[in-house]
Amino acid sequence: MARSLDEELRALYGLPLEEFTAGRNELARRLKQDRDPRADEVAQLRKPTVPVWAVNQLARRDELGMRRLLAAAAALRKAQERALEGSGTAGLAKAHAEEREALRKLTERARSLLGEAGRPATDATLERISTTLAAAAVDESVRETLKAGRLDRELEPLGFDALAGMQAAPRPARAKETTVADRREQQAEERRRRELRGRARDLEREAREAERAADRAET
């Protein structure tokens, strides 16, 4: 094959959605012909849904907008982590507003791309696009796939509660008999987790209030 498999896959996910299945099958056929062991894996690639296809097109057609979203999402994540650590919520509303604006612009661009492709840009479809963008932008396991325009599934974003859970992950159990000091440490850890979950709920509420205030300011 003249191109690497990564290049072939990038081209595949850039095709019009109605051409994906034929393109995938042709790529798998050529790989099998070349006795490439990855042929079966390629043959099983899922056809993207319309929202996922639109997100992949955004990675190709609006690279600047995608970079802005990734930067805004990273800033928001850091602001959330600082808030959960008790360092205050200064900057949280601003970070949330910037991430929201980056999402809004990309979602509007997706509306145009869907129209160009002759596909309906319903509110439900645009919401799924926005949700997947928001989730992928902060998920380290798929950020690079998002940037490459090769997502294969829709995603749901992590909320403050999930972040609090990661921040307060329990320590690995030690292979020894539990002592009084151990029990006290476990109780303190549990109190910390409860406090973080409570703080996460407060931050979630503040974020929703800030979003409603931003909506009112725009009308």
Side-chain angles (χ1 to χ4, degrees):
M1 297 174 64
R3 296 190 292 186
S4 69
L5 183 57
D6 278 345
E7 291 171 329
E8 292 281 2
L9 289 173
R10 179 168 173 77
L12 173 64
Y13 281 96
L15 290 173
L17 188 55
E18 62 273 14
E19 297 178 17
F20 179 88
T21 301
R24 177 200 62 199
N25 294 345
E26 172 60 18
L27 176 57
R29 184 193 66 76
R30 287 189 282 119
L31 287 169
K32 189 171 184 178
Q33 191 175 49
D34 292 341
R35 298 186 178 180
D36 191 312
R38 297 168 294 183
D40 289 341
E41 182 180 346
V42 168
Q44 294 172 15
L45 291 174
R46 291 181 292 185
K47 179 180 178 180
T49 62
V50 171
V52 171
W53 176 83
V55 168
N56 286 335
Q57 303 319 302
L58 287 170
R60 292 165 170 76
R61 307 275 292 275
D62 195 349
E63 293 183 15
L64 178 59
M66 191 65 75
R67 287 199 299 271
R68 285 174 174 165
L69 172 62
L70 291 171
L76 176 59
R77 198 66 166 179
K78 288 179 181 178
Q80 291 172 338
E81 289 171 354
R82 287 195 298 270
L84 287 170
E85 290 166 356
S87 301
T89 59
L92 182 59
K94 180 175 182 291
H96 189 271
E98 290 176 350
E99 186 251 8
R100 183 172 173 272
E101 178 63 9
L103 276 174
R104 185 191 67 78
K105 289 181 177 179
L106 280 175
T107 303
E108 281 304 307
R109 184 65 193 279
R111 185 194 299 275
S112 299
L113 292 176
L114 288 170
E116 292 171 11
R119 295 186 176 275
T122 65
D123 288 344
T125 296
L126 294 174
E127 178 64 26
R128 288 160 65 189
I129 290 169
S130 179
T131 298
T132 294
L133 282 168
V138 296
D139 189 335
E140 293 296 333
S141 68
V142 296
R143 275 172 62 96
E144 291 304 314
T145 305
L146 171 66
K147 289 166 64 176
R150 283 174 45 186
L151 281 182
D152 64 354
R153 67 189 187 281
E154 296 176 39
L155 301 171
E156 291 292 334
L158 293 173
F160 277 116
D161 284 334
L163 183 59
M166 289 188 292
Q167 292 287 94
R171 297 179 182 178
R174 287 172 289 185
K176 69 174 187 178
E177 186 177 344
T178 301
T179 65
V180 172
D182 289 331
R183 286 195 295 273
R184 287 175 179 169
E185 184 178 349
Q186 291 168 2
Q187 290 168 353
E189 188 68 28
E190 180 57 33
R191 283 195 299 272
R192 172 172 163 74
R193 285 199 293 272
R194 286 197 299 269
E195 290 170 0
L196 281 172
R197 285 193 291 269
R199 192 178 300 160
R201 287 190 290 271
D202 290 341
L203 290 171
E204 192 81 63
R205 184 175 60 255
E206 290 177 15
R208 287 196 299 268
E209 290 172 354
E211 186 169 345
R212 285 195 292 269
D215 286 338
R216 288 194 296 271
E218 291 175 0
T219 57

